[in-house]
Amino acid sequence: MSPARARLALLLLMPLALAACGSQVASRPDTAAVTATTSSSSQAATASAASASASASATAGSSVTATHGSYVDYAKYAANRDMYAAGKVVLFFHADWCPKCRETDANLTADPASIPAGLTIVKADFDSETDLRQKYGVTVQHTFVQVDNQGGQLAKWTGTFAGGDIAGKTV
């Protein structure tokens, strides 16, 4: 596909992708999907205030400590999966153009202590990690997939915005 056609396809699909930011789907292998819509003006205000400073700060680089979990990028996680094997791991399919993704990213980077001990949240780029998206059947950004030590899917959902909320969805 030519670069011009790729850009045209992206422009045509962008409104559909942005509309998907407002949906929430929770599923586990043993349950049916549940769909709901969420919105919160206070969360949006928090994200807007924190977004500028959070993007310049240490996004996705801390490691698991005794007091809180960690938020790391996919490259760091993939380079040393064994380092995170003792706790729960949740892949966060993030897109820079997604307002809900930016809100979650801002919350996690602004307050790393909000991530419970033993939980690692892995920021995976929705646009570039296409093989990873395909592996877990991720079709919309702002999707979370809990994986086991072998990379098997344990749970999948969208719509959480903070470390404690993400931990609450894990199995």
Side-chain angles (χ1 to χ4, degrees), residues 59-80:
T59 63
S62 65
S63 61
V64 177
T65 67
T67 59
H68 60 82
S70 62
Y71 183 42
V72 299
D73 63 34
Y74 186 75
K76 181 175 180 175
Y77 169 74
N80 194 2

Side-chain angles (χ1 to χ4, degrees), residues 43 46-61 70-74 92-112 114-115 121-125 142 144 160-163 166:
Q43 289 175 335
T46 301
S48 296
S51 182
S53 63
S55 63
S57 67
T59 63
S70 62
Y71 183 42
V72 299
D73 63 34
Y74 186 75
F92 165 36
F93 288 88
H94 174 279
D96 289 334
W97 45 264
C98 168
K100 292 182 185 263
C101 298
R102 288 193 311 261
E103 179 179 347
T104 301
D105 183 61
N107 290 340
L108 296 173
T109 56
D111 187 14
S114 71
I115 304 169
I121 302 168
V122 180
K123 182 178 175 181
D125 187 279
H142 201 250
F144 300 83
T160 48
F161 295 93
I166 294 167

Side-chain angles (χ1 to χ4, degrees), residues 28-41:
R28 295 189 176 149
D30 59 319
T31 62
V34 177
T35 304
T37 304
T38 62
S39 76
S40 170
S41 58

Side-chain angles (χ1 to χ4, degrees), residues 132-150:
L132 200 59
R133 278 192 0 233
Q134 184 176 9
K135 177 179 181 176
Y136 296 110
V138 173
T139 57
V140 297
Q141 68 288 349
H142 201 250
T143 297
F144 300 83
V145 178
Q146 182 184 358
V147 296
D148 62 22
N149 293 339
Q150 290 75 41

